[in-house]
Amino acid sequence: MDTAPQPEVNSIRALWIHYRDSSTLHGLSHISGRRTCTRGVIWFMLVMAMGISLTVTLYDLKEQYFSYPTLTMLNIKMSHELEFPAVTLCNISPYKMSKLNPDEAMLDYLKRESNMGSFMPPMNFSDSKYKLLFKNVEEDWLFNVSFSIKDLFIACKWKETLYFDCTKLFIPYKTEWGLCFSFNGLDSPEIHKIGYVGSILGLSFFIHVNQSDYVYARNMGAGLKIVLHAHNEEPNVMDSGYLVPPGTTTYIPIERKEYKFLPSPFKAFGKEYCLDTESAGFQNHLKHHRLYSYSGCLRECKERFAFQKCQCRNHHDLSDAEPICSIERDYNCHKPAREEFNGNVTLQAACGCSIPCSLTEYTTRISHATFPANLYEDWIKENFGYTSIRENIMEVRLYYESLVYKTFEKVQKITFIDILASIGGQMGIFLGASVLTLSELMEVMVMSIVVLLQKMFRPTSLAPMPVSPAKNNQ
C-alpha cells in the first residue's frame, strides 16, 4: 500500500508547502499547484482580502482599547448608617460691630468693601484720616472682631442630645467670607454618622444673627450662609451654599451622592484625569489641609499667588508664617490679586490641582415657615429675654430623608477579556482561524528557523581527492 510522500524536514520550502496544504486556516489549502492557476490566484486574493480586513479590524479594535473608553454605572444602595455631611455656616455680617468698634476711616473702608462701594469713589489713602489703616493687622484680629459661637448659637441638637454650649459640636474655621463655624468638618476630632431619618433626629440649631451688630458687608442681606460639603473638603462659602433668613424655620433634607472615577490612563472629566487619593502611593502635598481636596488645593494656590504679589497675607488666610497685610495693603493689593486669580482660568490651571477620583456630593431642598408662630413669641421673650425675634432668630434642621443613596461609578468599557473575545471572533469570521491556528503558524516559523540555522552552521563535507593514473614505468 502506497503512503503519502512526507516533506523533507530540511527544506524550508517544503515546510511551508506542507503548512499551506494542511493548515486549518480557511482558504489557504485552495492555493495549491494541484489546482488551475486561475483558481489559485482567486483563492489567494480572497485570503489576502480577508487578511487585510482582519488587520484593519484589529487595528480599529486596538485604537478603541487604548482610547480607554468608560461607561457610567448608576447604583442605588442602602446603608444602616451614613456619614453626615460637614455643615459650615457663616453670619452674613463678617464682623461684629461692637467688637470692631470702627472709627470713621474703618467705616469708610467697610462701606467701600460692601456693595455700596460700587456707587462710591475709590478710597484716597493719601488723606491723613486713613493713617491708621496702614498699620499691620494683629494675628488674632479676625477672632477678636468676629461673632463667636456663643454670640450666634442659642442651642443646638445632634440626634437626641441638646446642647446649650455649641462649642461641643461646632469649630471656628477661617474662610474668605470671614470666621465661620463647621460641624463634622476638616478639623473635627471625629466623623459623625447617623442611622436615623427625619427632621427630629438630625442636626438642628437656633441662631441669633444679631442684626444690631452688623457691619457693612458684600451681602446686604441678613441671615446665615450654610454650605454642605464632604468631611475632607474645603468649604467653598463664596460660590456655593444657601442663604437662610431670620424669622424662619428652615428644613433642609439631604440626599447623598457618591462619584467614583477611574484613575489615569482613563479620563474622568473630558480631557482631564482625576487624582487617585486612595492609592497606596498618594502623598498629600497641601500644607494647611490634613486631607486633600480640589477646593483646598485651589485655596492654598490663591493664597500663595496673592502673597507673591503683595508679600503679606489676608487675615482669613490659613498660613500663619507671613505677616498680615494692613487694611490699605489689602485694599490696594491683596484683594485685587484674589479677584485676578478668581477670574483667570489660566492661573487656576497652573496650580496643578486635580479633582479626586472619589467625590461625595450632597443635594438638598429647602422649605421655610415663619418663626416663631405668634403663639410662642411672648413665651420666648419672657423666658429668654430676646426682642426683635423675627428680625434675628431662626431655626434650622438638617437631616436625611432616607438612608438610600446613589453611586455613579465609571467602569472600563473594553476589558482585556473583551479584547481576547473580539480578536477570536474577528479571526473566525474572516479566516476561520483560532488560537490553535496561530499555534500551527508559530510551529512552522520555528521549524523554518531551525532548518535555516542547521544549514548555516552544519560543517561542509569534504569531496574525495581525485586519484591520478599511475605513471608508466620508466
Side-chain angles (χ1 to χ4, degrees):
M1 183 175 179
D2 295 337
T3 59
Q6 299 295 323
E8 300 178 16
V9 295
N10 61 347
S11 170
I12 295 178
R13 182 173 180 272
L15 285 172
W16 284 96
I17 290 175
H18 178 68
Y19 171 73
R20 181 197 65 187
D21 295 337
S22 61
S23 174
T24 57
L25 189 69
H26 289 189
L28 194 62
S29 61
H30 294 285
I31 307 173
S32 172
R34 293 191 296 269
R35 298 178 180 272
T36 63
C37 179
T38 302
R39 292 178 62 189
V41 169
I42 291 175
W43 276 105
F44 174 78
M45 293 177 65
L46 288 173
V47 171
M48 289 299 296
M50 293 300 101
I52 292 172
S53 299
L54 175 62
T55 302
V56 172
T57 303
L58 293 181
Y59 177 81
D60 182 64
L61 184 63
K62 187 266 294 183
E63 290 294 305
Q64 289 185 43
Y65 179 78
F66 286 104
S67 67
Y68 302 106
T70 58
L71 294 173
T72 301
M73 304 290 291
L74 169 61
N75 293 307
I76 298 178
K77 299 181 180 181
M78 183 173 183
S79 176
H80 296 293
E81 189 177 57
L82 287 178
E83 179 181 319
F84 204 79
V87 180
T88 298
L89 56 91
C90 315
N91 198 333
I92 287 182
S93 176
Y95 313 121
K96 187 176 181 181
M97 179 70 79
S98 59
K99 288 185 176 181
L100 183 61
N101 193 21
D103 56 14
E104 181 184 355
M106 178 61 75
L107 276 177
D108 200 19
Y109 163 74
L110 291 174
K111 289 177 181 179
R112 283 170 169 79
E113 281 289 277
S114 70
N115 286 342
M116 296 168 58
S118 302
F119 305 95
M120 302 173 69
M123 294 182 70
N124 180 15
F125 282 96
S126 61
D127 193 325
S128 59
K129 72 177 182 178
Y130 298 127
K131 183 178 179 180
L132 291 178
L133 300 183
F134 286 82
K135 182 181 178 181
N136 284 346
V137 176
E138 297 177 356
E139 187 66 38
D140 55 354
W141 181 84
L142 180 63
F143 290 88
N144 292 335
V145 301
S146 301
F147 288 91
S148 67
I149 293 179
K150 293 182 178 180
D151 291 330
L152 288 179
F153 288 85
I154 300 172
C156 52
K157 181 182 177 185
W158 169 241
K159 296 181 181 178
E160 299 174 331
T161 306
L162 178 67
Y163 300 89
F164 287 99
D165 180 8
C166 292
T167 58
K168 296 179 179 179
L169 291 180
F170 288 84
I171 296 175
Y173 190 77
K174 291 193 295 184
T175 71
E176 194 168 345
W177 191 283
L179 188 64
C180 300
F181 307 98
S182 289
F183 168 81
N184 212 27
L186 280 166
D187 296 332
S188 297
E190 63 175 316
I191 299 177
H192 294 283
K193 298 182 179 181
I194 193 168
Y196 305 105
V197 297
S199 61
I200 303 300
L201 296 176
L203 174 69
S204 59
F205 44 84
F206 293 89
I207 295 288
H208 188 281
V209 297
N210 200 353
Q211 287 197 56
S212 62
D213 251 343
Y214 266 36
V215 300
Y216 300 107
R218 61 177 62 88
N219 191 306
M220 300 176 73
L224 284 184
K225 181 72 173 289
I226 298 179
V227 181
L228 303 185
H229 54 99
H231 165 75
N232 64 320
E233 287 186 354
E234 167 75 22
N236 184 10
V237 297
M238 300 300 293
D239 303 317
S240 62
Y242 308 92
L243 292 174
V244 180
T248 60
T249 290
T250 301
Y251 279 40
I252 306 178
I254 302 166
E255 181 183 359
R256 180 185 176 96
K257 296 179 181 178
E258 295 180 357
Y259 299 87
K260 295 182 179 180
F261 303 93
L262 292 171
S264 178
F266 298 93
K267 294 178 180 178
F269 316 100
K271 297 182 179 180
E272 301 296 326
Y273 300 99
C274 65
L275 181 63
D276 189 5
T277 57
E278 298 178 356
S279 66
F282 171 74
Q283 292 184 344
N284 180 18
H285 65 274
L286 302 184
K287 293 183 178 180
H288 308 294
H289 291 82
R290 179 173 53 86
L291 300 173
Y292 178 86
S293 67
Y294 176 72
S295 54
C297 179
L298 274 183
R299 179 178 180 180
E300 290 194 9
C301 186
K302 175 164 63 174
E303 291 178 2
R304 288 194 303 270
F305 174 78
F307 175 76
Q308 290 171 358
K309 280 206 159 190
C310 306
Q311 296 303 303
C312 61
R313 60 184 173 91
N314 188 272
H315 51 263
H316 55 60
D317 286 356
L318 296 175
S319 174
D320 56 5
E322 299 86 11
I324 299 179
C325 299
S326 65
I327 299 297
E328 180 274 333
R329 190 64 176 161
D330 183 80
Y331 182 86
N332 287 321
C333 181
H334 206 280
K335 180 185 176 183
R338 298 196 306 268
E339 293 175 346
E340 178 186 356
F341 183 91
N342 291 335
N344 193 320
V345 179
T346 303
L347 288 176
Q348 297 176 22
C351 296
C353 296
S354 299
I355 299 177
C357 294
S358 296
L359 296 172
T360 303
E361 181 186 57
Y362 297 95
T363 57
T364 63
R365 303 187 315 275
I366 295 182
S367 58
H368 301 285
T370 300
F371 177 89
N374 294 335
L375 179 65
Y376 301 101
E377 190 167 0
D378 290 338
W379 180 85
I380 293 174
K381 290 178 180 179
E382 292 174 3
N383 288 273
F384 293 94
Y386 291 115
T387 58
S388 304
I389 295 174
R390 290 184 179 172
E391 286 75 29
N392 289 293
I393 299 178
M394 67 179 70
E395 178 192 15
V396 180
R397 298 190 183 191
L398 300 105
Y399 56 93
Y400 279 116
E401 276 189 313
S402 169
L403 296 180
V404 174
Y405 63 100
K406 297 177 182 178
T407 63
F408 299 84
E409 184 175 2
K410 291 281 189 179
V411 297
Q412 189 174 353
K413 183 178 181 180
I414 304 176
T415 64
F416 185 69
I417 300 300
D418 296 331
I419 288 292
L420 289 180
S422 184
I423 290 176
Q426 301 296 340
M427 290 174 59
I429 289 175
F430 288 107
L431 294 173
S434 66
V435 175
L436 291 178
T437 306
L438 295 178
S439 301
E440 294 174 358
L441 178 61
M442 294 298 297
E443 179 190 30
V444 74
M445 292 176 66
V446 171
M447 292 297 298
S448 299
I449 293 173
V450 171
V451 171
L452 181 62
L453 293 175
Q454 287 177 346
K455 288 187 175 184
M456 291 176 60
F457 296 102
R458 179 182 298 169
T460 304
S461 57
L462 298 175
M465 297 273 306
V467 180
S468 57
K471 294 183 179 180
N472 295 330
N473 294 331
Q474 295 181 353

